[in-house]
Amino acid sequence: MTTTRTQVAIVGAGPSGLLLGQLLHKAGIDAVIVERVSGDYVLGRIRAGILEQVCIDLMDEAGVGARMHREGLVHGGIEMLWDGRRHRVDLNRYSGGKNVMVYGQTELTRDLMDARAAAGLTTVYEAHHTAVHDFDTARPYVTYVKNGVTHRIDCDFIAGCDGFHGVCRASAPRSAIREYEKVYPFGWLGLLSDTPPVCDELIYVNSERGFALCSQRSKTRSRYYLQVPLTHHVEDWSDDAFWQELRLRLDDEARERLVTGPSLEKSIAPLRSFVTEPLRFGRMFLAGDAGHIVPPTGAKGLNLAATDVKYLFDGLVQHYRERSDAGLDAYSAKALARIWRAERFSWWFTQLMHRFPHDEQITAKFQHAELDYLMHSEAGLRTIAENYVGLPLDFGQR
Ligand code: FAS
Ligand code: PHB
């Protein structure tokens, strides 16, 4: 067995782990990242597409925002389509001047990976049998196996950034953890294509055939989603079948503008609301999907991960620079307050836009009436806008 030492051992090289690692590096705090799969595999996952200002600011704080600002698309609104009617939600106007940015998680992850490699920082990819130890003591450590050799990393803290299926949350004592979960009875079939987006902004669709979303990655690359039953498998869906079903869920204007093409990627993501309480276990902290999952309807997953990382990073800097653990002690409660607000919005937006099995016909009429009210009410437009662009970091503390 080899033994090395670092200040923070990060498990997981997704956006959470990489962003935390980059921020710590900029602050002169040593961190090693241990990742189960290869870097190419991480980059091959097609996931989030929308960045909130808080996430954009964090990328800038981490010194990796240049390409994001060059290539990201700033959006000041979203379109809502239901019952053949389309309404624009002016996010900028109703959120007090905020926007969102279209910049794929894949690109954000690539920027963070490139910065880490350029700085010569250690990321152990394809590490197997990762385990976390003694996090309830002052001397935690992480072990993993690479090329048949067991390695140990002694550290001051462990950051569990290893996603929903990771080892860190699973290693927390069951008596110390509470998990809240709601699994939705449908999934999102996503398709990525090098075709021009059907609309300048995103279109969220509540149709009698189910939810659809027209998103994008650039002016030449589109991302579409269809609500599908949990019994469906991606191999059940040819590209033609996808495009045909999407057309049936759009309005005439979008149908006419839709440019179809071969899929670059196609996958079905399950939807769940999930929160772990607390997010801290001694010297191990959970951040990002390791601690919570949201249905992607509200585009919150990646952005929540970013704000967890911000709170944890600030706490770690305070520990090392000021010898104060106030920030670390407050991390879980502070992050959970924001997480539950995003969970609530994502759940509410999912309920509003999807068709649930066994829904009576009246439920669709309630959804249409709610959408009609929201689109014609300043209070309604404001509630959508301020939640969609992301509540201020100090929300609820004023
Ligand atoms: P991640 O899951 O991205 O990263 C965790 C990393 O830890 C992974 O690389 C994993 O390989 C690694 N790991 C796991 N176990 C390990 C172990 N034992 N040892 C070492 N490493 C380990 N969000 C949106 O906002 N919009 C979307 O459209 C959207 N679509 C999604 C689709 C899918 C299929 C999924 C799963 C999520 C989606 N999300 C979406 C949410 C997603 O973007 C997450 O919020 C984001 O990836 C969170 O980043 P991390 O917390 O880093 O977790
Ligand atoms: C995406 O582009 O992947 C995306 C955008 C908005 C969402 C979910 C996913 O709400």
Side-chain angles (χ1 to χ4, degrees):
M1 177 186 297
T2 72
T3 301
T4 54
R5 182 172 222 296
T6 188
Q7 289 173 293
V8 182
I10 299 172
V11 184
S16 296
L18 288 166
L19 182 55
L20 180 60
Q22 184 60 20
L23 288 165
L24 290 171
H25 168 62
K26 294 269 292 176
I29 298 169
D30 188 47
V32 171
I33 301 181
V34 177
E35 166 56 57
R36 179 170 57 181
V37 297
S38 69
D40 287 343
Y41 189 94
V42 175
L43 289 172
R45 296 183 191 122
I46 305 302
R47 289 192 175 164
I50 299 295
L51 305 187
E52 296 174 2
Q53 191 59 48
V54 176
C55 190
I56 295 165
D57 294 345
L58 262 179
M59 288 290 283
D60 286 334
E61 184 177 343
V64 293
R67 186 166 75 103
M68 173 188 69
H69 288 292
R70 268 200 322 272
E71 298 178 13
L73 302 174
V74 176
H75 280 202
I78 56 174
E79 301 267 340
M80 305 287 282
L81 168 58
W82 78 95
D83 204 19
R85 301 157 65 188
R86 201 190 297 189
H87 281 256
R88 181 174 186 265
V89 177
D90 187 335
L91 297 174
N92 184 274
R93 175 180 174 189
Y94 290 107
S95 70
K98 286 187 184 176
N99 301 305
V100 292
M101 181 187 279
V102 169
Y103 191 66
Q105 175 172 323
T106 303
E107 303 319 315
L108 178 144
T109 305
R110 193 191 313 278
D111 294 337
L112 287 163
M113 277 181 177
D114 291 349
R116 188 163 183 82
L121 301 173
T122 305
T123 305
V124 182
Y125 286 102
E126 297 177 294
H128 300 294
H129 308 298
T130 307
V132 289
H133 309 271
D134 293 355
F135 46 83
D136 54 347
T137 74
R139 303 168 65 84
Y141 65 98
V142 172
T143 56
Y144 64 90
V145 176
K146 172 94 176 170
N147 300 329
V149 176
T150 299
H151 301 264
R152 169 174 167 150
I153 305 174
D154 291 328
C155 54
D156 298 330
F157 299 102
I158 297 171
C161 299
D162 50 347
F164 184 67
H165 300 290
V167 67
C168 292
R169 187 182 74 249
S171 301
R174 292 295 96 191
S175 59
I177 198 168
R178 286 180 308 283
E179 295 178 342
Y180 301 86
E181 182 171 53
K182 180 182 186 61
V183 177
Y184 296 87
F186 42 73
W188 277 20
L189 168 63
L191 182 145
L192 188 71
S193 58
D194 273 339
T195 55
V198 73
C199 179
D200 293 341
E201 295 174 328
L202 273 57
I203 307 177
Y204 285 83
V205 186
N206 169 317
S207 97
E208 61 187 7
R209 300 177 67 88
F211 171 81
L213 171 59
C214 302
S215 185
Q216 51 193 265
R217 290 292 179 272
S218 70
K219 295 289 188 191
T220 59
R221 179 165 286 192
S222 297
R223 177 74 170 165
Y224 293 101
Y225 294 97
L226 294 175
Q227 171 188 347
V228 294
L230 283 176
T231 52
H232 283 206
H233 303 284
V234 67
E235 49 273 10
D236 300 337
W237 283 87
S238 68
D239 287 3
D240 288 345
F242 184 96
W243 295 121
Q244 185 181 337
E245 181 59 34
L246 177 63
R247 280 196 185 89
L248 291 172
R249 301 189 189 187
L250 296 177
D251 60 1
D252 292 343
E253 180 187 345
R255 259 193 290 275
E256 281 153 26
R257 288 190 58 175
L258 180 64
V259 177
T260 65
S263 59
L264 303 172
E265 186 270 354
K266 220 168 19 185
S267 54
I268 295 180
L271 271 67
R272 76 178 76 238
S273 299
F274 176 87
V275 180
T276 300
E277 289 189 352
L279 294 174
R280 174 188 190 176
F281 303 91
R283 286 188 168 235
M284 180 171 75
F285 296 83
L286 304 181
D289 278 19
H292 45 79
I293 296 285
V294 282
T297 321
K300 291 285 162 240
L302 175 58
N303 292 295
L304 266 186
T307 43
D308 289 354
V309 164
K310 170 64 176 168
Y311 293 145
L312 181 54
F313 166 67
D314 287 348
L316 288 167
V317 168
Q318 197 180 37
H319 169 86
Y320 285 110
R321 285 190 183 155
E322 302 168 27
R323 295 282 166 230
S324 161
D325 281 352
L328 291 177
D329 293 344
Y331 167 74
S332 183
K334 196 172 180 182
L336 282 167
R338 186 173 183 84
I339 289 160
W340 278 115
R341 290 183 183 122
E343 290 279 350
R344 192 277 319 164
F345 173 69
S346 303
W347 159 80
W348 169 79
F349 202 11
T350 300
Q351 300 272 74
L352 179 62
M353 299 303 288
H354 290 73
R355 281 287 183 283
F356 285 69
H358 319 307
D359 262 358
E360 305 105 335
Q361 282 190 322
I362 195 169
T363 305
K365 301 298 281 182
F366 289 151
Q367 290 177 333
H368 293 174
E370 184 168 2
L371 284 161
D372 180 64
Y373 161 69
L374 290 166
M375 294 302 113
H376 294 93
S377 149
E378 174 150 352
L381 289 163
R382 194 177 299 283
T383 193
I384 292 179
E386 67 179 13
N387 280 285
Y388 191 88
V389 301
L391 297 174
L393 276 176
D394 64 353
F395 185 91
Q397 293 157 29
R398 291 169 284 184

